[in-house]
Amino acid sequence: MRHKRFLKRLIFIPITIIGIIAIVIIGHFILNKNKIEVVNASSITELALNKKDFKSGVLNENLKEKKDTNYIYIKKLYEIGEQSFRLSSDNSIRLQIKEYTKDKDYIGTIDMGDHDLYTKSDECYYITFTAYKDMNGQVESTNYKELISDINSLITLTSIDTDSLDNLPATNSTYINKGSLSNKANYKTGRYLSWGGSYSNEKGSYCTRDFYMVDPQTTYFININDSRVSLTVNEYDKDGKWLYYKDSLTNGKEYKPTDNKVAYIGITIRSIEWSVDPMDLLKANLIIDFGRDFYINNLEKEDIENVDFSDINNYSSGLFYKGNIGVDKNCLRLNYYLNVKQTKYMVESMDHYLKMYIQEFDNNNTLINSCSKENGESFSPKENTSYIAIYLKCENDVNFSYYKNDFNMKKAINLSEFIPYNYNKEMADLSAKDIVTDINVGWNLGNSLDSHYGDPFTGPHLNQETTWGNITVSKDLIDYVKQQGFNTIRIPVTWVNNTYRDDNGHLKVYTEWLERVSEVVAYAYANDMYVIINTHHEQPIIYAGTTDDKFNQVCSDARDLWKEIATYFKDYDEKLIFESYNEVDNVERSWNFSEKAASQVNTLNQIFVDTVRETGANNAKRVLMIPTLLDGSEKSYLDAFVMPKDSATGKIILTVHNYSTLLTTDINATFATLKDYADKLNVPIVIGEFGSSKKKFLPLELRNVHASNYVKCAANYGIKCIYWDNGAVNDYAIVNRKDFSLSETDIITALINPNSYSFKDSQNLNSFDNFLYMTLNQGNGELKEDKYWGSITTGSMEKGIEISDGVNYISLNLYAVDEFENLKIHYVHFYDSDMNLIENNNDGYGYKNKTFKVPDNAKYLRIGINNSSKATKQNEYASGVDSGKISLSLAFINTNDKKTINKYK
């Protein structure tokens, strides 16, 4: 038995080897069989196509061989240069040139007859050749043997200079054919005159370089795939003598030669739309055909619900012009007119670079309205609209292949009937602390619904959400935000520009704007997110720090506004949170604190709570968010804040804004202060806005560290944060609303999975020995006395603070509280190794924390601190530092060495 097994194995081994070799040989054969030879023809002056090189069939758009006995092709890719060619072939043989990019993406096909010209498209790098026999403008049914036998000579492409041909007289050419008439290279600037038929090189028109043969007994049907194009025809006899002139030939008209003497025609093309250049249309695949029947005609009508918008086969390249089809390679038009209902439709598209253009028609086929819509926008037909025409356009320069790829990637567009979201009306009895505990991190939909234009009470201004540069808010945007891990969204809303006053002077919100806000709220509800809506840029009617008379009107408007909002949303469940106001300004001292303004904000907060509760339903126990004056988080703002009285218990969240740029756990002091304050009031706290600007933040590559550290440190104190994203990709945006794939995913990840950070090379100046009671000469950086006002400066009399080698950024944080809270950093000067000033940074307003890029050759720095509104004596500074109320932290950052950063879970 062992011997038999051994023999079987011995026999099996060579059989296996033979099988592997066979597979390799067959695979090699298949690869070579499918391989297409590349021919470098970039500098040739003549390209001769021998009939022996042709095979039966075609190469399709994907360079795959396809059987078709009516065609022959050469299995080669020709790399061509910038030269143009003239074709020489038998009269009945036509040549198709397929164009491809350098990446071998299909561009288009040019169909040529004898004496036609070929000029490549701008993006063309390769071409292929296919030939067929023409019979009255159609492909003749034949076979390989017959087709080859009809080629009596070489098919030759000769390199020419097209500019030199413009002034040459036209010659009699081949039979008229769609391919020749649709080929941009066969036209030159100018026209054939209506009397005499001679050529005139006038701009604005284009005419055929040659005259094309026609049959005087045939009636031709004009097919043009653009309603803006009009043709004129000059008729000539067999010797080229001018005979007659015909004009205004447009799509759907007939042309018959005037009499039997007509043998050739010259054609001039014009556009009836002055801004449209016919040559641009030719480049965009304009079709001109003197055919045997009409085939470019009116489109069929379909009910909108029966059309599959995701099927690319339902589209053609082009647009609609006043209801008629037109050519535009950047556009994609639907192949049907759509019957619509008198209802609301929503536009959906995963490609945010696309817009949908809609033309509306009544029962008499009269165009009554045109509009454009982008993803997330609604469309409501006019009252007398019967049907619509639709085309798509990308804001970038694209072609049909772009759209085809979009559809293949399921990025299709849709127009479907709007179905209102069926929100939950059962209210779970969650406290403010319950909700804040459940929030992980939030995202602000900034500069969208809070954008605004126009004057108050002049609306409605329903398109205000796009006026600051962001696209229309759509469900897929909110879907993406939720998919990243955010479970809370703050939707800032500006209402005043969509309000009016009734006959009694009360403020009212246009219903259409309330509906639009509710649509966006529904997007978040569908993703099971907490949703915060507020009144955002209402300063024309809501402000503080004003006279009693004016403030009475402010209170009345605030009451009216929140009555409108709260009543509309009163049945929504606990996921919806109302935030009273956003950064209410102090008009007596803009963007500054005053006791009067803070007191008036307290009054406004009480009006808000009372008004919401009075609307009843779920608003009786809805969680509400209340801000300080200006949403300030400094001690003066917190001390002046008064918690409003509330009929519901434990339903209020305190909110502030804080845009600290600190990168490290130094920010813990801020959060500790906020937590102590919130604990005294027994309320949770949410930081409604924080973030970093791509335009200003330093170092830019550590924005993710900033975001991560901020959220982690805040969470350690029970404080939750909502990132401010204004949609501007070069500013605060972390979600690219136009293209999600370009979002700042490193920052998003840092927010969802945060860590805290510190830098190994850091200093904390908490002894008065670290400071000099002196200021800095802002011109030369030298120390000087400051007895009358009082500043403190870092370093010794001889030198500033030394900067270690490799450090390219320095982050500063001034801790100053209680009576010293108005102290700020005003001067940051850099010096070389000899203490010569390299760079001075002087800021009259000052700041508590900031990061600086270290200039080249800088070895030392000095930092100057003072109170710009009050003189401070040396003993006061010493007392503040020694008591721990004043300290200065410095972090020395080397972004090229990750080992200098400490990360904490």
Side-chain angles (χ1 to χ4, degrees):
M1 287 296 291
R2 290 181 181 175
H3 293 296
K4 287 182 180 179
R5 286 186 195 141
F6 176 75
L7 287 172
K8 285 182 180 179
R9 289 174 185 171
L10 200 61
I11 294 169
F12 178 74
I13 292 171
I15 291 174
T16 303
I17 295 171
I18 292 169
I20 292 171
I21 293 171
I23 291 170
V24 171
I25 292 172
I26 292 169
H28 181 72
F29 173 77
I30 292 171
L31 286 173
N32 283 331
K33 185 173 183 280
N34 293 327
K35 188 175 181 181
I36 299 177
E37 180 184 351
V38 176
V39 178
N40 188 341
S42 58
S43 59
I44 64 168
T45 58
E46 184 174 280
L47 184 59
L49 308 179
N50 195 308
K51 63 182 182 180
K52 292 187 300 183
D53 295 330
F54 283 94
K55 299 175 61 176
S56 179
V58 294
L59 277 178
N60 66 13
E61 297 175 3
N62 299 317
L63 295 172
K64 302 295 184 184
E65 294 176 274
K66 182 181 177 182
K67 292 181 180 180
D68 192 326
T69 59
N70 296 325
Y71 293 89
I72 54 176
Y73 74 98
I74 298 177
K75 191 179 177 181
K76 293 179 182 179
L77 267 177
Y78 292 83
E79 180 184 335
I80 60 170
E82 298 301 320
Q83 67 268 50
S84 296
F85 295 95
R86 186 184 286 282
L87 175 65
S88 176
S89 68
D90 294 296
N91 249 352
S92 63
I93 299 298
R94 294 192 65 84
L95 187 70
Q96 289 183 343
I97 297 179
K98 285 188 174 72
E99 294 187 320
Y100 296 85
T101 66
K102 193 172 185 178
D103 295 326
K104 299 178 183 176
D105 294 324
Y106 174 72
I107 299 170
T109 300
I110 294 88
D111 191 306
M112 302 173 63
D114 182 45
H115 214 252
D116 279 350
L117 298 180
Y118 168 69
T119 301
K120 77 180 188 72
S121 303
D122 292 339
E123 62 268 39
C124 177
Y125 193 83
Y126 297 110
I127 59 175
T128 64
F129 297 114
T130 302
Y132 69 93
K133 188 174 182 179
D134 176 62
M135 176 63 71
N136 296 325
Q138 302 296 320
V139 178
E140 182 178 346
S141 180
T142 183
N143 58 55
Y144 174 76
K145 187 178 290 187
E146 291 178 1
L147 192 48
I148 287 293
S149 66
D150 285 332
I151 301 177
N152 298 316
S153 59
L154 291 175
I155 299 174
T156 306
L157 289 150
T158 306
S159 178
I160 58 165
D161 178 10
T162 53
D163 292 336
S164 66
L165 299 178
D166 284 353
N167 295 320
L168 294 179
T171 58
N172 296 338
S173 186
T174 187
Y175 270 106
I176 196 164
N177 183 279
K178 176 178 72 174
S180 299
L181 296 183
S182 306
N183 180 358
K184 66 181 184 293
N186 288 336
Y187 291 87
K188 60 183 178 180
T189 301
R191 67 187 180 97
Y192 294 117
L193 298 177
S194 59
W195 185 258
S198 60
Y199 166 72
S200 174
N201 64 346
E202 300 172 17
K203 292 184 178 179
S205 299
Y206 297 88
C207 60
T208 54
R209 295 181 184 275
D210 295 328
F211 298 150
Y212 289 96
M213 192 185 309
V214 292
D215 180 1
Q217 304 302 318
T218 299
T219 298
Y220 296 91
F221 298 90
I222 307 298
N223 289 278
I224 307 173
N225 64 342
D226 197 304
S227 59
R228 297 167 293 184
V229 172
S230 177
L231 309 181
T232 62
V233 169
N234 282 270
E235 299 175 321
Y236 304 85
D237 67 13
K238 62 183 178 58
D239 298 319
K241 180 182 177 182
W242 179 76
L243 298 172
Y244 312 107
Y245 171 83
K246 294 187 177 184
D247 64 0
S248 302
L249 296 175
T250 55
N251 181 52
K253 291 192 175 182
E254 296 180 3
Y255 164 71
K256 189 177 189 307
T258 303
D259 56 33
N260 288 335
K261 291 184 289 184
V262 177
Y264 294 93
I265 61 172
I267 299 172
T268 300
I269 63 174
R270 296 186 176 93
S271 171
I272 61 174
E273 185 75 16
W274 69 269
S275 61
V276 176
D277 187 340
M279 184 54 67
D280 290 336
L281 300 181
L282 284 163
K283 292 176 181 178
N285 301 322
L286 177 69
I287 294 174
I288 301 175
D289 189 13
F290 283 52
R292 295 301 193 265
D293 54 25
F294 291 127
Y295 58 89
I296 297 177
N297 47 28
N298 290 331
L299 305 180
E300 295 179 359
K301 293 179 184 176
E302 286 281 355
D303 292 339
I304 188 169
E305 57 268 22
N306 293 335
V307 173
D308 184 359
F309 283 86
S310 66
D311 186 352
I312 190 67
N313 296 311
N314 286 328
Y315 298 85
S316 297
S317 182
L319 47 66
F320 285 98
Y321 170 75
K322 295 181 179 178
N324 296 307
I325 61 174
V327 170
D328 192 320
K329 69 176 183 179
N330 194 32
C331 298
L332 193 70
R333 65 167 175 81
L334 202 60
N335 291 334
Y336 308 95
Y337 294 120
L338 301 179
N339 298 315
V340 291
K341 305 172 186 175
Q342 290 299 314
T343 188
K344 181 177 177 180
Y345 295 90
M346 290 298 292
V347 177
E348 300 171 83
S349 174
M350 293 297 289
D351 186 339
H352 297 168
Y353 295 97
L354 287 186
K355 276 195 174 183
M356 176 182 285
Y357 290 79
I358 304 173
Q359 297 181 357
E360 301 178 63
F361 303 86
D362 62 16
N363 284 321
N364 298 317
N365 302 319
T366 302
L367 177 66
I368 58 175
N369 186 52
S370 297
C371 62
S372 66
K373 301 291 180 180
E374 64 184 17
N375 180 41
E377 284 193 281
S378 63
F379 164 68
S380 296
K382 299 292 182 183
E383 192 173 314
N384 55 336
T385 296
S386 173
Y387 65 94
I388 61 174
I390 289 176
Y391 69 91
L392 313 178
K393 187 174 184 179
C394 181
E395 66 181 49
N396 302 317
D397 188 17
V398 300
N399 55 30
F400 188 80
S401 297
Y402 173 90
Y403 294 108
K404 190 174 182 179
N405 184 60
D406 249 12
F407 280 68
N408 289 339
M409 294 175 65
K410 307 301 182 186
K411 287 188 176 181
I413 201 162
N414 193 27
L415 183 66
S416 58
E417 191 171 342
F418 172 72
I419 301 174
Y421 181 77
N422 187 20
Y423 56 86
N424 180 36
K425 296 183 180 181
E426 296 295 324
M427 186 82 158
D429 191 17
L430 296 182
S431 69
K433 289 183 178 180
D434 291 335
I435 288 177
V436 171
T437 300
D438 198 33
I439 291 173
N440 57 1
V441 65
W443 180 80
N444 269 283
L445 180 63
N447 288 17
S448 283
L449 299 187
D450 54 317
S451 304
H452 56 88
Y453 71 97
D455 296 323
F457 320 124
T458 62
H461 301 291
L462 300 177
N463 60 341
Q464 71 178 42
E465 70 182 273
T466 59
T467 57
W468 288 2
N470 281 318
I471 60 175
T472 303
V473 180
S474 56
K475 185 177 182 300
D476 64 322
L477 169 62
I478 311 305
D479 291 346
Y480 176 80
V481 171
K482 177 58 185 290
Q483 289 162 10
Q484 303 315 297
F486 297 95
N487 73 346
T488 302
I489 181 169
R490 181 173 179 256
I491 304 175
V493 184
T494 298
W495 302 88
V496 66
N497 299 81
N498 277 297
T499 61
Y500 62 96
R501 295 195 184 277
D502 65 13
D503 294 339
N504 297 317
H506 288 294
L507 204 66
K508 298 289 182 180
V509 179
Y510 284 104
T511 302
E512 299 95 324
W513 187 237
L514 285 162
E515 289 174 348
R516 176 55 187 155
V517 175
S518 72
E519 287 171 7
V520 178
V521 170
Y523 299 154
Y525 256 62
N527 280 286
D528 194 30
M529 302 176 80
Y530 289 108
V531 187
I532 302 166
I533 60 172
N534 69 358
T535 61
H536 205 75
H537 293 298
E538 319 299 340
Q539 188 168 336
I541 59 170
I542 297 178
Y543 49 88
T546 188
T547 64
D548 290 346
D549 285 345
K550 289 183 178 179
F551 189 62
N552 286 336
Q553 183 62 52
V554 170
C555 292
S556 176
D557 287 341
R559 187 177 293 107
D560 287 345
L561 183 55
W562 268 112
K563 183 178 180 180
E564 289 280 285
I565 300 168
T567 300
Y568 188 89
F569 290 99
K570 67 181 181 180
D571 293 324
Y572 283 65
D573 69 12
E574 74 284 350
K575 290 285 186 177
L576 182 62
I577 300 164
F578 294 154
E579 176 189 358
S580 59
Y581 315 103
N582 174 75
E583 297 177 351
V584 177
D585 194 15
N586 175 11
V587 294
E588 69 174 343
R589 292 184 62 213
S590 186
W591 288 97
N592 279 282
F593 176 82
S594 76
E595 293 288 349
K596 181 179 183 179
S599 176
Q600 289 181 343
V601 167
N602 291 333
T603 299
L604 287 171
N605 281 334
Q606 188 64 62
I607 288 171
F608 162 71
V609 173
D610 293 343
T611 302
V612 171
R613 298 299 183 219
E614 287 168 3
T615 59
N618 287 340
N619 287 340
K621 52 184 179 181
R622 186 174 306 285
V623 169
L624 308 176
M625 267 175 53
I626 308 293
T628 60
L629 170 67
L630 285 165
D631 285 78
S633 58
E634 291 84 358
K635 184 176 184 298
S636 55
Y637 294 91
L638 298 175
D639 287 347
F641 175 78
V642 175
M643 273 285 288
K645 297 177 182 178
D646 190 7
S647 58
T649 302
K651 300 289 187 176
I652 288 180
I653 300 170
L654 176 63
T655 182
V656 296
H657 297 172
N658 185 293
Y659 281 90
S660 169
T661 59
L662 283 174
L663 289 160
T664 68
T665 52
D666 283 346
I667 200 172
N668 281 336
T670 298
F671 297 138
T673 299
L674 290 174
K675 184 180 186 303
D676 289 345
Y677 183 77
D679 287 348
K680 289 178 185 176
L681 297 179
N682 193 28
V683 294
I685 191 165
V686 166
I687 295 179
E689 292 182 19
F690 82 103
S692 63
S693 169
K694 197 172 185 177
K695 292 190 293 188
K696 301 176 183 178
F697 188 82
L698 293 175
L700 189 60
E701 54 265 56
L702 294 185
R703 283 182 75 201
N704 61 327
V705 170
H706 165 263
S708 181
N709 181 78
Y710 195 109
V711 170
K712 181 64 174 179
C713 291
N716 288 341
Y717 289 88
I719 298 170
K720 300 302 173 66
C721 309
I722 306 175
Y723 194 94
W724 177 254
D725 184 325
N726 64 0
V729 294
N730 291 317
D731 200 5
Y732 281 91
I734 55 173
V735 173
N736 189 309
R737 303 182 193 179
K738 203 92 168 181
D739 187 342
F740 300 150
S741 69
L742 300 178
S743 296
E744 304 277 1
T745 52
D746 59 331
I747 299 177
I748 294 172
T749 300
L751 290 167
I752 302 302
N753 302 293
N755 298 286
S756 56
Y757 292 86
S758 68
F759 290 93
K760 292 180 179 179
D761 188 359
S762 60
Q763 297 180 24
N764 185 29
L765 308 184
N766 54 11
S767 167
F768 197 63
D769 293 339
N770 301 128
F771 300 94
L772 301 169
Y773 186 64
M774 303 186 79
T775 190
L776 293 170
N777 184 311
Q778 297 180 34
N780 58 25
E782 294 179 358
L783 293 168
K784 68 175 186 178
E785 292 188 355
D786 190 20
K787 295 179 180 179
Y788 301 104
W789 193 254
S791 299
I792 53 174
T793 301
T794 59
S796 66
M797 291 295 294
E798 293 77 25
K799 292 184 177 181
I801 298 172
E802 187 173 358
I803 302 170
S804 304
D805 292 340
V807 170
N808 51 0
Y809 292 93
I810 295 178
S811 182
L812 309 177
N813 177 45
L814 174 63
Y815 177 76
V817 296
D818 296 341
E819 69 267 34
F820 301 104
E821 73 169 345
N822 289 325
L823 285 179
K824 292 182 180 178
I825 299 169
H826 288 273
Y827 317 125
V828 177
H829 292 185
F830 291 93
Y831 305 82
D832 65 14
S833 57
D834 297 321
M835 283 301 292
N836 296 311
L837 183 67
I838 294 177
E839 178 182 295
N840 59 344
N841 299 277
N842 307 309
D843 190 310
Y845 184 77
Y847 37 82
K848 287 291 180 72
N849 50 75
K850 193 170 182 177
T851 300
F852 290 87
K853 183 173 176 56
V854 177
D856 293 341
N857 301 318
K859 190 62 179 176
Y860 298 97
L861 85 155
R862 290 191 188 276
I863 303 158
I865 300 167
N866 65 48
N867 182 339
S868 60
S869 59
K870 178 185 174 183
T872 308
K873 296 179 180 178
Q874 182 174 0
N875 64 324
E876 292 175 319
Y877 279 120
S879 172
V881 174
D882 292 341
S883 64
K885 294 181 178 181
I886 303 172
S887 64
L888 179 65
S889 298
L890 298 86
F892 298 88
I893 304 168
N894 181 352
T895 58
N896 300 313
D897 184 0
K898 292 183 179 179
K899 294 179 181 179
T900 61
I901 304 177
N902 297 316
K903 181 168 74 172
Y904 310 99
K905 295 289 186 182

